[in-house]
Amino acid sequence: MKRRTYLRAVGSGAAVGLAGCLGGGNPNVSLSKPDRENDVSSEDLPYPAWGQQVPDVTLTDPLYGTEVAVRDIDEPHFHTFFFTNCMTVCPVLISALREVQIHSITEGYADDVSFYPITFDPARDDAAAFEKEADQMNVDMDAGNWHFLRTEDEAEAKSVVEDQFGVFFQKNEPNEEGNYMFTHLGLVMLVNGDGYVERTYRGNQPDEQTLIDDLTALREA
């Protein structure tokens, strides 16, 4: 799997747009401008969308013991935003990306795509939580193309996920046992190897085949 400068040792639902024909008039992306209702533009959305760059942030991958500069990932990749204790939306988002990972493995292009789910619950989501999540969701960590990412603390999670990625989340009041959940936006991003968003899929049930089709179009562009 290609690894350039974005891996460094630590210590150092519904789609917003569907794949269309290639060549959408933006030199930074390969897929055409998505069809959106009411002529909504990427600039009208709170999160990076078609033709816009992802934030220049570096996050920790505790399972690999590395740091990832998300803007420097040099291959097509997916982001989603989740927390491992979620019992509603998040398992669906992770499952959709897992199906794309399975397709990449069975079709022989696992080295040409990667997956970077970002948690907004770093207080609980550590390496052990990610290992459990991978096991429960049947993520193939041996493929080397899946990386769970986290920030150092809750304040940084708010800054990175909500302020810079524009993905809303809100921590709910803990129950009597001290457990808590989040209200949050369901979102998946398909990003090219130059750090520009090709597609955003907003909703609680992203269509797996659409993810695969859009990724295929991007890889073949």
Side-chain angles (χ1 to χ4, degrees), residues 21-155:
C21 60
L22 301 182
N26 186 318
N28 297 314
V29 292
S30 296
L31 301 186
S32 64
K33 184 177 180 179
D35 294 328
R36 300 191 184 108
E37 295 182 0
N38 302 321
D39 294 324
V40 174
S41 69
S42 296
E43 290 74 18
D44 295 327
L45 299 171
Y47 43 80
W50 179 81
Q52 297 180 322
Q53 233 177 348
V54 294
D56 185 13
V57 296
T58 298
L59 302 173
T60 301
D61 175 354
L63 293 183
Y64 283 86
T66 57
E67 291 185 344
V68 176
V70 299
R71 189 176 283 184
D72 293 340
I73 301 170
D74 58 359
E75 63 210 1
H77 55 282
F78 289 92
H79 289 298
T80 194
F81 307 86
F82 82 115
F83 66 110
T84 64
N85 283 274
C86 180
M87 295 179 288
T88 54
V89 177
C90 302
V92 179
L93 300 175
I94 297 297
S95 177
L97 294 189
R98 180 205 61 203
E99 291 303 311
V100 182
Q101 186 199 39
I102 291 172
H103 188 269
S104 76
I105 295 169
T106 58
E107 297 300 317
Y109 64 93
D111 287 347
D112 300 321
V113 63
S114 48
F115 306 85
Y116 295 85
I118 300 172
T119 181
F120 40 79
D121 187 18
R124 296 182 296 187
D125 287 347
D126 54 12
F130 288 151
E131 287 179 353
K132 182 178 179 180
E133 179 80 358
D135 182 63
Q136 290 180 335
M137 298 302 297
N138 296 316
V139 172
D140 188 348
M141 297 303 297
D142 292 333
N145 63 357
W146 190 287
H147 303 267
F148 289 107
L149 301 183
R150 69 188 299 273
T151 59
E152 289 300 314
D153 51 38
E154 292 185 8

